[in-house]
Every structure is written in C-alpha cells, then in structure tokens.
Amino acid sequence: MSSTPSFSMPMFRDFVPRKLQPWIYLCIAFTFQLSGGIYLGALNQMIGDCSLMREDLLMCMYSMLIGMSFYFPILFRTKFRFTNKTLLTASALVMLLCNLVVPYITCLPLLWAVCFVSGMAKIQGTFECMSNIQLWMTPKRDFTVFFPWLQMVILCSMQFSDLLTTYLMYYYHWSYMHLFVVGVMLVVLLFLFTCIKHFRFMKPFPLFGVDWLGWALWAALGLEVTYLFCYADWLDWWSSPVFRQVAVVAVVNLVFCLWRMFTIRHPYLEPKMWTYRGLCPVLILITLVEAFLATEYVLEEVYYEEVMHYAEQVSVQLDWFVLVGIVCGCVFSYWWMHVRGWSYLRLCTIGLASLIACLFGFYVTLSTDIHLYQLAFPVACRGFAYAALCSAFFVCLHELMSFQHFFQALAVFNLLHAVVGGVLGCAVYARGLSYFVPDNFSRYGASVERVGFSRAPFDLGGYMEEFISQMMEVSLKQLYGWVLYAAILLFLLFLLYDMPMRRQLKRMPTWASVKHGMMNSYWRVRHGKMP
C-alpha cells in the first residue's frame, strides 16, 4: 500500500504530512476496533465484582455486535449527510462516554443498551476511516485487496484487546481497560480538533426515507433471538416460562418485520435483497462455520479453566499464536485472490480444511499431561481459518450483490457471522456438556469403590478432584469428536459443490421433461413417424 499522486485526503489540515495521512486514519480505525462496551478478557473478574452471570456479560457483547450489524445500511446515508470530522468526533465521543459509564451500571437492560450504542459508534468510526483510505489501499477499488487488509485490522485488534485487557487486569484492575480506552479516545478527539477540518465533497443529503421503525424492529428481533440462545441453558430451554414468552415475542416481532418489509415503499431490508442467487447458501454456510468456531468460547474455556486450571494470564499467551494465524490467513487470502486471481470458493475450502485441522488438533492433543504451547498449532489454524473464511465470504457477498443491496445484506451477514452463529454454537455446546458430563460420571463412577476408600490414609479430596478433571476431559473429547464429524461432513459437501467435474456434466432432466419426451415418442410410434 503506497500513496498515489491522485490520492488525497482534503479533510486534513495542510501541516499534516501527506504520506502520513492514510496511516493516521488506519491507526484511528484500529483504535475504534480495539474499543468496545465490555472486554471478554476480564470476564471472570467482572462476574465477581459486578455480581453478574457469565450469560449477562456475553449478552452485553452480543448487544454491541447487534448494534454494529444493523447499522450497516445507514452508514452511507450518514456519510452523505455529515462531514467526516463530525462523524469521527461523534463516534469517539460516544465510545468515550460508554467506557466511562459501563463499570458503574448495575441495571442489565441499561447496560445492554449502552453496549448496543457503543457498537453503532464503533462501526461508524471504523467505516469512516477505512472508506476514506480505500483508494489508497487499492486505487482500482479491488475488493480482493481491500477485504483481506480490512480483516487484518479487525481481527488483530480483537486479539490485542484481549491481551491488553488481561495484562491490565493482572497488574491493576479490569476497569483500567475502560480507562485506557477513554484515554485513547481523548487523544483521537484532540487530533480531530487540531488536524482535521470539515470538508464536503457534495451537498448534504438528508436522512429522509430511512425506515427507522424497521431498523428498531429488526434490531429488537436480533436481541430477542440472541437472548433465547444466550440464556437457553441457564433457563433450561422450553422448561422455562421466560424462554417460552420471549420465543412468542420473537415470533410476533418477526411477523411485524416481514409485514413492514412487504408493505412500505422503502423498508429497512428490502425484499429484493433476499432474492439474489447464492445469498442463502452463503448465509447458511457462515452460520455453520461460526457455530464450529464457537468452540473457542465454550469448550476451550472449560478446558483451560476446569481441566488445566490455567489463570487468564497463562491461557492468554495463546492469543499470540492466534495473531500469527490471522496475519498468515489475511496475507494468504490477498495472495490467493488478488496476486494469483484464483477462486474465492477454493479459498473457502482451504479455510474449512484449516478449521478441521484446528478441531482435530484439539481432539488429539487435549489432555492434562500436555504443555500449553502444544496447543499453539490448533489455535494458529483457527486464526488462519477465521481470516481466510471472513475474507472469502466478504468478497463472495460483494460479487453476489448489487451496490444498492450490498450493505443491507451485510447487516444480515454480520448478524449471522458475529452473533447468531456463535451464540447458537455456544448454546449447543453448553447443552452437550450438560449431557455428557453427568453421563460420564454415571458410567465411570463405578470405579470409585468402597475398597479404595477403606485404605488409610486416603486423600478423598485429591482423588475426587482428579476424577472430576478426567470426566471433564473425556466429555470435552467427545464433544470435539462430534464437532469434528460435522465439520468434515460440511467440508465434503462443499467439495462436492465446488467439484470441477460437476459443472461439466449435463443437468439431470426433470420428471416433466421425461414424461413429455416419452409421450412424444409414443405419438410418433403410433403414427408411423419414427426416424
């Protein structure tokens, strides 16, 4: 990436060196992605200090991601209405205020609302920075260049956020991450006030015609679905009246969303957006892939905490290997799609293969007798798979859609990619653990016999602790095995879909055409007109 003579950023004041301008916006985009409503690296400490459940804090994270997802269709409207300085200033100010108040909020709905707003500010700031340096990254607007580097910024910032949160929590307190982000946003605001000026490349375009009620309905539906899967295991699924009530509300909300989509002139998500060929398979595939990758948030965390008893500052060291995998995946995606010009469908196949390698690595390595760094290869494969699949899916979605519906599809895509797939996978894995752990206790509990207890001295506490760790290990291996089977099946189906020979074979005729051909043959035979 290098500056071209035609590329300029007129919003900068004259004293800012021209060569540094795009790099500054790249750093600002990184700071927006580094920030958030809550930080999962301090999850366990926040549970104790704030008297909240794990599900409560995960719901905060998903609320932020939903705010990001459903803000996509409005991004260009706000860009044409306000100046770049106004939007970046507002985004940084909102992120600053959200990080100031989050550590002191005890009301869960209010906390979710603040995280939702922080997600909107996060994507607005990132979009403003990256859209202004897009021509610097690729003068021809080649998305096989733009999307891999965009994913590198997003995914690397996620890992650095986790690392920074863990280290600040270890040396100080979990709230210091919020203070750190407040300080970063103050620096961004100071820079914006001193080095950026208001600039318009066109007359301001009003925000008339935006379906705000439709936006609210779709966002509420996303929050309801997320709540169902996030709290499903804690509520015991359909046994809970709360779960049933929220499910009914979600169905009613969906009916209102569809009714509004088909009845008003300019709905928030247009019906034509759903009719593009290949969109539904992409959405299903990304949901399944995210469900497989959700093993990171349930199975890996259980393994680190319950089996190996790692502290956060120990297990977080694996994030460095994830970071290496992400960088390799983004560079490989750039080389594959842009330099070599090969198909992004084949890149999806490579990404799925890397995901299978990650699951297989955990399946064969998972034990209480291993060193932490023996998990480096599986987590690096996970980072590579995530980067390659995200880059390929974004390019695929751009190829499928027209510009009119691209950002609407991005809203649905990111909802499934960042929220639904992960929360669905977490719910399934939590349900699997609640089944396999008691089942293994009942199966192997017979080994705990009275004769062994009668021996003196007998360390009952140490024996039971080791026994429980072994049962958790066996249960995790079983779940990893089932997830590995499912991933291999998806990989084989994708290979079958992308098989070169499949596109060279003749299509199978329909039953109607076969019947029509047989009737014509019979008519020719009866009337003596056979060739």
Side-chain angles (χ1 to χ4, degrees), residues 282-313:
V282 170
L283 296 180
I284 293 172
L285 186 60
I286 189 60
T287 305
L288 293 175
V289 167
E290 284 294 330
F292 295 147
L293 288 168
T295 54
E296 173 188 1
Y297 303 110
V298 180
L299 304 186
E300 287 185 35
E301 291 298 325
V302 171
Y303 175 64
Y304 297 150
E305 296 176 9
E306 303 298 333
V307 178
M308 302 301 292
H309 305 290
Y310 288 148
E312 287 84 356
Q313 61 270 20

PDB file of all heavy atoms in Angstrom, residues 282-313:
ATOM      1  N   VAL A 282     -24.704 -18.849   1.199  1.00  0.00           N
ATOM      2  CA  VAL A 282     -23.609 -18.150   1.893  1.00  0.00           C
ATOM      3  C   VAL A 282     -23.986 -17.881   3.343  1.00  0.00           C
ATOM      4  O   VAL A 282     -23.172 -18.072   4.262  1.00  0.00           O
ATOM      5  CB  VAL A 282     -23.270 -16.833   1.159  1.00  0.00           C
ATOM      6  CG1 VAL A 282     -22.320 -15.985   1.995  1.00  0.00           C
ATOM      7  CG2 VAL A 282     -22.649 -17.126  -0.196  1.00  0.00           C
ATOM      8  N   LEU A 283     -25.223 -17.440   3.580  1.00  0.00           N
ATOM      9  CA  LEU A 283     -25.664 -17.152   4.942  1.00  0.00           C
ATOM     10  C   LEU A 283     -25.698 -18.423   5.792  1.00  0.00           C
ATOM     11  O   LEU A 283     -25.309 -18.407   6.971  1.00  0.00           O
ATOM     12  CB  LEU A 283     -27.047 -16.500   4.910  1.00  0.00           C
ATOM     13  CG  LEU A 283     -27.129 -15.134   4.221  1.00  0.00           C
ATOM     14  CD1 LEU A 283     -28.551 -14.602   4.273  1.00  0.00           C
ATOM     15  CD2 LEU A 283     -26.167 -14.137   4.850  1.00  0.00           C
ATOM     16  N   ILE A 284     -26.156 -19.531   5.206  1.00  0.00           N
ATOM     17  CA  ILE A 284     -26.185 -20.796   5.953  1.00  0.00           C
ATOM     18  C   ILE A 284     -24.769 -21.263   6.261  1.00  0.00           C
ATOM     19  O   ILE A 284     -24.467 -21.712   7.377  1.00  0.00           O
ATOM     20  CB  ILE A 284     -26.955 -21.864   5.149  1.00  0.00           C
ATOM     21  CG1 ILE A 284     -28.429 -21.488   5.042  1.00  0.00           C
ATOM     22  CG2 ILE A 284     -26.807 -23.240   5.798  1.00  0.00           C
ATOM     23  CD1 ILE A 284     -29.221 -22.381   4.115  1.00  0.00           C
ATOM     24  N   LEU A 285     -23.875 -21.132   5.272  1.00  0.00           N
ATOM     25  CA  LEU A 285     -22.502 -21.590   5.460  1.00  0.00           C
ATOM     26  C   LEU A 285     -21.781 -20.789   6.539  1.00  0.00           C
ATOM     27  O   LEU A 285     -21.099 -21.367   7.397  1.00  0.00           O
ATOM     28  CB  LEU A 285     -21.741 -21.492   4.133  1.00  0.00           C
ATOM     29  CG  LEU A 285     -20.322 -22.065   4.110  1.00  0.00           C
ATOM     30  CD1 LEU A 285     -20.342 -23.546   4.446  1.00  0.00           C
ATOM     31  CD2 LEU A 285     -19.676 -21.837   2.747  1.00  0.00           C
ATOM     32  N   ILE A 286     -21.957 -19.458   6.538  1.00  0.00           N
ATOM     33  CA  ILE A 286     -21.273 -18.651   7.546  1.00  0.00           C
ATOM     34  C   ILE A 286     -21.828 -18.936   8.931  1.00  0.00           C
ATOM     35  O   ILE A 286     -21.096 -18.923   9.933  1.00  0.00           O
ATOM     36  CB  ILE A 286     -21.363 -17.145   7.203  1.00  0.00           C
ATOM     37  CG1 ILE A 286     -20.465 -16.328   8.134  1.00  0.00           C
ATOM     38  CG2 ILE A 286     -22.787 -16.642   7.298  1.00  0.00           C
ATOM     39  CD1 ILE A 286     -19.007 -16.685   8.059  1.00  0.00           C
ATOM     40  N   THR A 287     -23.122 -19.237   9.034  1.00  0.00           N
ATOM     41  CA  THR A 287     -23.709 -19.567  10.338  1.00  0.00           C
ATOM     42  C   THR A 287     -23.114 -20.864  10.875  1.00  0.00           C
ATOM     43  O   THR A 287     -22.757 -20.967  12.062  1.00  0.00           O
ATOM     44  CB  THR A 287     -25.235 -19.691  10.220  1.00  0.00           C
ATOM     45  OG1 THR A 287     -25.772 -18.488   9.655  1.00  0.00           O
ATOM     46  CG2 THR A 287     -25.863 -19.918  11.585  1.00  0.00           C
ATOM     47  N   LEU A 288     -22.986 -21.877  10.011  1.00  0.00           N
ATOM     48  CA  LEU A 288     -22.416 -23.155  10.441  1.00  0.00           C
ATOM     49  C   LEU A 288     -20.945 -23.010  10.818  1.00  0.00           C
ATOM     50  O   LEU A 288     -20.492 -23.574  11.821  1.00  0.00           O
ATOM     51  CB  LEU A 288     -22.585 -24.198   9.335  1.00  0.00           C
ATOM     52  CG  LEU A 288     -24.020 -24.621   9.023  1.00  0.00           C
ATOM     53  CD1 LEU A 288     -24.049 -25.564   7.821  1.00  0.00           C
ATOM     54  CD2 LEU A 288     -24.658 -25.293  10.231  1.00  0.00           C
ATOM     55  N   VAL A 289     -20.205 -22.246  10.017  1.00  0.00           N
ATOM     56  CA  VAL A 289     -18.783 -22.049  10.310  1.00  0.00           C
ATOM     57  C   VAL A 289     -18.604 -21.340  11.650  1.00  0.00           C
ATOM     58  O   VAL A 289     -17.755 -21.716  12.471  1.00  0.00           O
ATOM     59  CB  VAL A 289     -18.115 -21.259   9.175  1.00  0.00           C
ATOM     60  CG1 VAL A 289     -16.728 -20.774   9.595  1.00  0.00           C
ATOM     61  CG2 VAL A 289     -18.000 -22.128   7.921  1.00  0.00           C
ATOM     62  N   GLU A 290     -19.414 -20.311  11.894  1.00  0.00           N
ATOM     63  CA  GLU A 290     -19.322 -19.601  13.168  1.00  0.00           C
ATOM     64  C   GLU A 290     -19.708 -20.504  14.334  1.00  0.00           C
ATOM     65  O   GLU A 290     -19.159 -20.384  15.434  1.00  0.00           O
ATOM     66  CB  GLU A 290     -20.228 -18.368  13.145  1.00  0.00           C
ATOM     67  CG  GLU A 290     -19.680 -17.219  12.335  1.00  0.00           C
ATOM     68  CD  GLU A 290     -18.415 -16.640  12.938  1.00  0.00           C
ATOM     69  OE1 GLU A 290     -18.259 -16.701  14.169  1.00  0.00           O
ATOM     70  OE2 GLU A 290     -17.586 -16.122  12.178  1.00  0.00           O
ATOM     71  N   ALA A 291     -20.665 -21.414  14.103  1.00  0.00           N
ATOM     72  CA  ALA A 291     -21.039 -22.360  15.158  1.00  0.00           C
ATOM     73  C   ALA A 291     -19.868 -23.288  15.485  1.00  0.00           C
ATOM     74  O   ALA A 291     -19.631 -23.616  16.663  1.00  0.00           O
ATOM     75  CB  ALA A 291     -22.261 -23.170  14.728  1.00  0.00           C
ATOM     76  N   PHE A 292     -19.117 -23.711  14.471  1.00  0.00           N
ATOM     77  CA  PHE A 292     -17.937 -24.544  14.730  1.00  0.00           C
ATOM     78  C   PHE A 292     -16.858 -23.750  15.465  1.00  0.00           C
ATOM     79  O   PHE A 292     -16.204 -24.264  16.380  1.00  0.00           O
ATOM     80  CB  PHE A 292     -17.368 -25.084  13.419  1.00  0.00           C
ATOM     81  CG  PHE A 292     -18.292 -26.020  12.696  1.00  0.00           C
ATOM     82  CD1 PHE A 292     -18.318 -26.068  11.307  1.00  0.00           C
ATOM     83  CD2 PHE A 292     -19.153 -26.845  13.389  1.00  0.00           C
ATOM     84  CE1 PHE A 292     -19.166 -26.928  10.639  1.00  0.00           C
ATOM     85  CE2 PHE A 292     -20.010 -27.707  12.734  1.00  0.00           C
ATOM     86  CZ  PHE A 292     -20.022 -27.749  11.351  1.00  0.00           C
ATOM     87  N   LEU A 293     -16.668 -22.488  15.065  1.00  0.00           N
ATOM     88  CA  LEU A 293     -15.641 -21.666  15.701  1.00  0.00           C
ATOM     89  C   LEU A 293     -16.012 -21.278  17.131  1.00  0.00           C
ATOM     90  O   LEU A 293     -15.149 -20.839  17.892  1.00  0.00           O
ATOM     91  CB  LEU A 293     -15.407 -20.395  14.870  1.00  0.00           C
ATOM     92  CG  LEU A 293     -14.682 -20.598  13.533  1.00  0.00           C
ATOM     93  CD1 LEU A 293     -14.780 -19.348  12.683  1.00  0.00           C
ATOM     94  CD2 LEU A 293     -13.231 -20.964  13.762  1.00  0.00           C
ATOM     95  N   ALA A 294     -17.287 -21.435  17.497  1.00  0.00           N
ATOM     96  CA  ALA A 294     -17.717 -21.099  18.859  1.00  0.00           C
ATOM     97  C   ALA A 294     -17.147 -22.042  19.903  1.00  0.00           C
ATOM     98  O   ALA A 294     -17.314 -21.801  21.104  1.00  0.00           O
ATOM     99  CB  ALA A 294     -19.246 -21.100  18.941  1.00  0.00           C
ATOM    100  N   THR A 295     -16.473 -23.119  19.480  1.00  0.00           N
ATOM    101  CA  THR A 295     -15.788 -23.972  20.455  1.00  0.00           C
ATOM    102  C   THR A 295     -14.773 -23.175  21.279  1.00  0.00           C
ATOM    103  O   THR A 295     -14.467 -23.545  22.416  1.00  0.00           O
ATOM    104  CB  THR A 295     -15.054 -25.114  19.736  1.00  0.00           C
ATOM    105  OG1 THR A 295     -14.184 -24.559  18.723  1.00  0.00           O
ATOM    106  CG2 THR A 295     -16.042 -26.061  19.065  1.00  0.00           C
ATOM    107  N   GLU A 296     -14.292 -22.068  20.708  1.00  0.00           N
ATOM    108  CA  GLU A 296     -13.333 -21.223  21.430  1.00  0.00           C
ATOM    109  C   GLU A 296     -13.937 -20.672  22.717  1.00  0.00           C
ATOM    110  O   GLU A 296     -13.250 -20.560  23.741  1.00  0.00           O
ATOM    111  CB  GLU A 296     -12.886 -20.067  20.528  1.00  0.00           C
ATOM    112  CG  GLU A 296     -12.024 -19.040  21.209  1.00  0.00           C
ATOM    113  CD  GLU A 296     -11.774 -17.822  20.335  1.00  0.00           C
ATOM    114  OE1 GLU A 296     -12.296 -17.772  19.203  1.00  0.00           O
ATOM    115  OE2 GLU A 296     -11.057 -16.921  20.802  1.00  0.00           O
ATOM    116  N   TYR A 297     -15.222 -20.331  22.706  1.00  0.00           N
ATOM    117  CA  TYR A 297     -15.838 -19.645  23.834  1.00  0.00           C
ATOM    118  C   TYR A 297     -16.427 -20.596  24.870  1.00  0.00           C
ATOM    119  O   TYR A 297     -16.756 -20.163  25.966  1.00  0.00           O
ATOM    120  CB  TYR A 297     -16.941 -18.704  23.339  1.00  0.00           C
ATOM    121  CG  TYR A 297     -16.443 -17.691  22.349  1.00  0.00           C
ATOM    122  CD1 TYR A 297     -16.797 -17.757  21.012  1.00  0.00           C
ATOM    123  CD2 TYR A 297     -15.581 -16.669  22.749  1.00  0.00           C
ATOM    124  CE1 TYR A 297     -16.328 -16.835  20.095  1.00  0.00           C
ATOM    125  CE2 TYR A 297     -15.102 -15.752  21.845  1.00  0.00           C
ATOM    126  CZ  TYR A 297     -15.484 -15.831  20.516  1.00  0.00           C
ATOM    127  OH  TYR A 297     -15.000 -14.932  19.614  1.00  0.00           O
ATOM    128  N   VAL A 298     -16.595 -21.873  24.534  1.00  0.00           N
ATOM    129  CA  VAL A 298     -17.174 -22.826  25.484  1.00  0.00           C
ATOM    130  C   VAL A 298     -16.177 -23.935  25.792  1.00  0.00           C
ATOM    131  O   VAL A 298     -15.678 -24.055  26.921  1.00  0.00           O
ATOM    132  CB  VAL A 298     -18.494 -23.422  24.947  1.00  0.00           C
ATOM    133  CG1 VAL A 298     -19.065 -24.415  25.945  1.00  0.00           C
ATOM    134  CG2 VAL A 298     -19.502 -22.316  24.676  1.00  0.00           C
ATOM    135  N   LEU A 299     -15.848 -24.750  24.806  1.00  0.00           N
ATOM    136  CA  LEU A 299     -15.020 -25.925  25.060  1.00  0.00           C
ATOM    137  C   LEU A 299     -13.600 -25.557  25.458  1.00  0.00           C
ATOM    138  O   LEU A 299     -13.041 -26.130  26.405  1.00  0.00           O
ATOM    139  CB  LEU A 299     -15.018 -26.820  23.815  1.00  0.00           C
ATOM    140  CG  LEU A 299     -16.396 -27.277  23.297  1.00  0.00           C
ATOM    141  CD1 LEU A 299     -16.241 -28.273  22.163  1.00  0.00           C
ATOM    142  CD2 LEU A 299     -17.217 -27.879  24.428  1.00  0.00           C
ATOM    143  N   GLU A 300     -13.001 -24.598  24.736  1.00  0.00           N
ATOM    144  CA  GLU A 300     -11.638 -24.206  25.101  1.00  0.00           C
ATOM    145  C   GLU A 300     -11.594 -23.561  26.485  1.00  0.00           C
ATOM    146  O   GLU A 300     -10.682 -23.840  27.278  1.00  0.00           O
ATOM    147  CB  GLU A 300     -11.073 -23.251  24.051  1.00  0.00           C
ATOM    148  CG  GLU A 300     -10.713 -23.915  22.740  1.00  0.00           C
ATOM    149  CD  GLU A 300     -10.051 -22.954  21.767  1.00  0.00           C
ATOM    150  OE1 GLU A 300      -9.295 -22.086  22.254  1.00  0.00           O
ATOM    151  OE2 GLU A 300     -10.285 -23.064  20.564  1.00  0.00           O
ATOM    152  N   GLU A 301     -12.559 -22.696  26.779  1.00  0.00           N
ATOM    153  CA  GLU A 301     -12.564 -22.039  28.082  1.00  0.00           C
ATOM    154  C   GLU A 301     -12.754 -23.050  29.210  1.00  0.00           C
ATOM    155  O   GLU A 301     -12.105 -22.952  30.263  1.00  0.00           O
ATOM    156  CB  GLU A 301     -13.674 -20.985  28.120  1.00  0.00           C
ATOM    157  CG  GLU A 301     -13.431 -19.786  27.220  1.00  0.00           C
ATOM    158  CD  GLU A 301     -12.184 -19.014  27.611  1.00  0.00           C
ATOM    159  OE1 GLU A 301     -11.890 -18.931  28.814  1.00  0.00           O
ATOM    160  OE2 GLU A 301     -11.496 -18.500  26.702  1.00  0.00           O
ATOM    161  N   VAL A 302     -13.630 -24.025  29.009  1.00  0.00           N
ATOM    162  CA  VAL A 302     -13.825 -25.062  30.025  1.00  0.00           C
ATOM    163  C   VAL A 302     -12.540 -25.860  30.211  1.00  0.00           C
ATOM    164  O   VAL A 302     -12.153 -26.206  31.332  1.00  0.00           O
ATOM    165  CB  VAL A 302     -15.000 -25.985  29.634  1.00  0.00           C
ATOM    166  CG1 VAL A 302     -15.070 -27.198  30.556  1.00  0.00           C
ATOM    167  CG2 VAL A 302     -16.306 -25.220  29.686  1.00  0.00           C
ATOM    168  N   TYR A 303     -11.865 -26.156  29.110  1.00  0.00           N
ATOM    169  CA  TYR A 303     -10.619 -26.924  29.188  1.00  0.00           C
ATOM    170  C   TYR A 303      -9.549 -26.150  29.955  1.00  0.00           C
ATOM    171  O   TYR A 303      -8.870 -26.702  30.841  1.00  0.00           O
ATOM    172  CB  TYR A 303     -10.137 -27.264  27.784  1.00  0.00           C
ATOM    173  CG  TYR A 303      -8.790 -27.944  27.752  1.00  0.00           C
ATOM    174  CD1 TYR A 303      -8.609 -29.198  28.325  1.00  0.00           C
ATOM    175  CD2 TYR A 303      -7.699 -27.324  27.166  1.00  0.00           C
ATOM    176  CE1 TYR A 303      -7.371 -29.824  28.307  1.00  0.00           C
ATOM    177  CE2 TYR A 303      -6.460 -27.929  27.135  1.00  0.00           C
ATOM    178  CZ  TYR A 303      -6.300 -29.187  27.706  1.00  0.00           C
ATOM    179  OH  TYR A 303      -5.078 -29.791  27.689  1.00  0.00           O
ATOM    180  N   TYR A 304      -9.382 -24.847  29.623  1.00  0.00           N
ATOM    181  CA  TYR A 304      -8.354 -24.056  30.295  1.00  0.00           C
ATOM    182  C   TYR A 304      -8.654 -23.894  31.788  1.00  0.00           C
ATOM    183  O   TYR A 304      -7.746 -23.981  32.621  1.00  0.00           O
ATOM    184  CB  TYR A 304      -8.257 -22.665  29.656  1.00  0.00           C
ATOM    185  CG  TYR A 304      -7.841 -22.671  28.208  1.00  0.00           C
ATOM    186  CD1 TYR A 304      -8.274 -21.679  27.334  1.00  0.00           C
ATOM    187  CD2 TYR A 304      -7.016 -23.667  27.701  1.00  0.00           C
ATOM    188  CE1 TYR A 304      -7.895 -21.674  26.007  1.00  0.00           C
ATOM    189  CE2 TYR A 304      -6.637 -23.673  26.373  1.00  0.00           C
ATOM    190  CZ  TYR A 304      -7.087 -22.677  25.524  1.00  0.00           C
ATOM    191  OH  TYR A 304      -6.727 -22.677  24.199  1.00  0.00           O
ATOM    192  N   GLU A 305      -9.922 -23.642  32.121  1.00  0.00           N
ATOM    193  CA  GLU A 305     -10.265 -23.291  33.497  1.00  0.00           C
ATOM    194  C   GLU A 305     -10.545 -24.509  34.367  1.00  0.00           C
ATOM    195  O   GLU A 305     -10.099 -24.575  35.515  1.00  0.00           O
ATOM    196  CB  GLU A 305     -11.484 -22.363  33.500  1.00  0.00           C
ATOM    197  CG  GLU A 305     -11.231 -21.019  32.819  1.00  0.00           C
ATOM    198  CD  GLU A 305     -12.480 -20.176  32.745  1.00  0.00           C
ATOM    199  OE1 GLU A 305     -13.499 -20.565  33.365  1.00  0.00           O
ATOM    200  OE2 GLU A 305     -12.456 -19.119  32.073  1.00  0.00           O
ATOM    201  N   GLU A 306     -11.310 -25.479  33.857  1.00  0.00           N
ATOM    202  CA  GLU A 306     -11.773 -26.588  34.694  1.00  0.00           C
ATOM    203  C   GLU A 306     -10.838 -27.801  34.674  1.00  0.00           C
ATOM    204  O   GLU A 306     -10.813 -28.564  35.633  1.00  0.00           O
ATOM    205  CB  GLU A 306     -13.179 -27.015  34.245  1.00  0.00           C
ATOM    206  CG  GLU A 306     -14.199 -25.905  34.272  1.00  0.00           C
ATOM    207  CD  GLU A 306     -14.428 -25.355  35.660  1.00  0.00           C
ATOM    208  OE1 GLU A 306     -14.229 -26.116  36.628  1.00  0.00           O
ATOM    209  OE2 GLU A 306     -14.772 -24.170  35.782  1.00  0.00           O
ATOM    210  N   VAL A 307     -10.137 -27.990  33.562  1.00  0.00           N
ATOM    211  CA  VAL A 307      -9.259 -29.162  33.457  1.00  0.00           C
ATOM    212  C   VAL A 307      -7.814 -28.789  33.774  1.00  0.00           C
ATOM    213  O   VAL A 307      -7.164 -29.404  34.628  1.00  0.00           O
ATOM    214  CB  VAL A 307      -9.364 -29.802  32.059  1.00  0.00           C
ATOM    215  CG1 VAL A 307      -8.413 -30.993  31.939  1.00  0.00           C
ATOM    216  CG2 VAL A 307     -10.798 -30.249  31.782  1.00  0.00           C
ATOM    217  N   MET A 308      -7.301 -27.775  33.085  1.00  0.00           N
ATOM    218  CA  MET A 308      -5.902 -27.389  33.283  1.00  0.00           C
ATOM    219  C   MET A 308      -5.717 -26.369  34.410  1.00  0.00           C
ATOM    220  O   MET A 308      -4.596 -26.181  34.882  1.00  0.00           O
ATOM    221  CB  MET A 308      -5.330 -26.810  31.989  1.00  0.00           C
ATOM    222  CG  MET A 308      -5.400 -27.776  30.807  1.00  0.00           C
ATOM    223  SD  MET A 308      -4.520 -29.326  31.099  1.00  0.00           S
ATOM    224  CE  MET A 308      -2.835 -28.776  31.139  1.00  0.00           C
ATOM    225  N   HIS A 309      -6.788 -25.676  34.808  1.00  0.00           N
ATOM    226  CA  HIS A 309      -6.742 -24.682  35.888  1.00  0.00           C
ATOM    227  C   HIS A 309      -5.736 -23.574  35.577  1.00  0.00           C
ATOM    228  O   HIS A 309      -4.983 -23.131  36.440  1.00  0.00           O
ATOM    229  CB  HIS A 309      -6.412 -25.340  37.226  1.00  0.00           C
ATOM    230  CG  HIS A 309      -7.339 -26.453  37.591  1.00  0.00           C
ATOM    231  ND1 HIS A 309      -8.661 -26.255  37.953  1.00  0.00           N
ATOM    232  CD2 HIS A 309      -7.152 -27.807  37.630  1.00  0.00           C
ATOM    233  CE1 HIS A 309      -9.240 -27.414  38.208  1.00  0.00           C
ATOM    234  NE2 HIS A 309      -8.354 -28.374  38.009  1.00  0.00           N
ATOM    235  N   TYR A 310      -5.752 -23.119  34.325  1.00  0.00           N
ATOM    236  CA  TYR A 310      -4.892 -22.015  33.926  1.00  0.00           C
ATOM    237  C   TYR A 310      -5.478 -20.698  34.418  1.00  0.00           C
ATOM    238  O   TYR A 310      -6.692 -20.487  34.381  1.00  0.00           O
ATOM    239  CB  TYR A 310      -4.764 -21.943  32.402  1.00  0.00           C
ATOM    240  CG  TYR A 310      -3.927 -23.039  31.785  1.00  0.00           C
ATOM    241  CD1 TYR A 310      -4.240 -23.519  30.505  1.00  0.00           C
ATOM    242  CD2 TYR A 310      -2.826 -23.556  32.427  1.00  0.00           C
ATOM    243  CE1 TYR A 310      -3.472 -24.509  29.919  1.00  0.00           C
ATOM    244  CE2 TYR A 310      -2.058 -24.550  31.848  1.00  0.00           C
ATOM    245  CZ  TYR A 310      -2.398 -25.025  30.587  1.00  0.00           C
ATOM    246  OH  TYR A 310      -1.632 -26.004  30.023  1.00  0.00           O
ATOM    247  N   ALA A 311      -4.625 -19.783  34.830  1.00  0.00           N
ATOM    248  CA  ALA A 311      -5.043 -18.408  35.081  1.00  0.00           C
ATOM    249  C   ALA A 311      -5.152 -17.675  33.738  1.00  0.00           C
ATOM    250  O   ALA A 311      -4.607 -18.120  32.721  1.00  0.00           O
ATOM    251  CB  ALA A 311      -4.050 -17.708  36.000  1.00  0.00           C
ATOM    252  N   GLU A 312      -5.857 -16.535  33.733  1.00  0.00           N
ATOM    253  CA  GLU A 312      -6.074 -15.816  32.473  1.00  0.00           C
ATOM    254  C   GLU A 312      -4.757 -15.392  31.829  1.00  0.00           C
ATOM    255  O   GLU A 312      -4.611 -15.457  30.608  1.00  0.00           O
ATOM    256  CB  GLU A 312      -6.948 -14.570  32.707  1.00  0.00           C
ATOM    257  CG  GLU A 312      -8.406 -14.862  32.975  1.00  0.00           C
ATOM    258  CD  GLU A 312      -8.669 -15.192  34.435  1.00  0.00           C
ATOM    259  OE1 GLU A 312      -7.673 -15.265  35.214  1.00  0.00           O
ATOM    260  OE2 GLU A 312      -9.840 -15.387  34.805  1.00  0.00           O
ATOM    261  N   GLN A 313      -3.795 -14.969  32.638  1.00  0.00           N
ATOM    262  CA  GLN A 313      -2.529 -14.511  32.073  1.00  0.00           C
ATOM    263  C   GLN A 313      -1.703 -15.651  31.492  1.00  0.00           C
ATOM    264  O   GLN A 313      -0.724 -15.410  30.772  1.00  0.00           O
ATOM    265  CB  GLN A 313      -1.701 -13.756  33.116  1.00  0.00           C
ATOM    266  CG  GLN A 313      -1.299 -14.558  34.333  1.00  0.00           C
ATOM    267  CD  GLN A 313      -2.327 -14.464  35.437  1.00  0.00           C
ATOM    268  OE1 GLN A 313      -3.475 -14.127  35.182  1.00  0.00           O
ATOM    269  NE2 GLN A 313      -1.900 -14.737  36.660  1.00  0.00           N
TER     270      GLN A 313
END
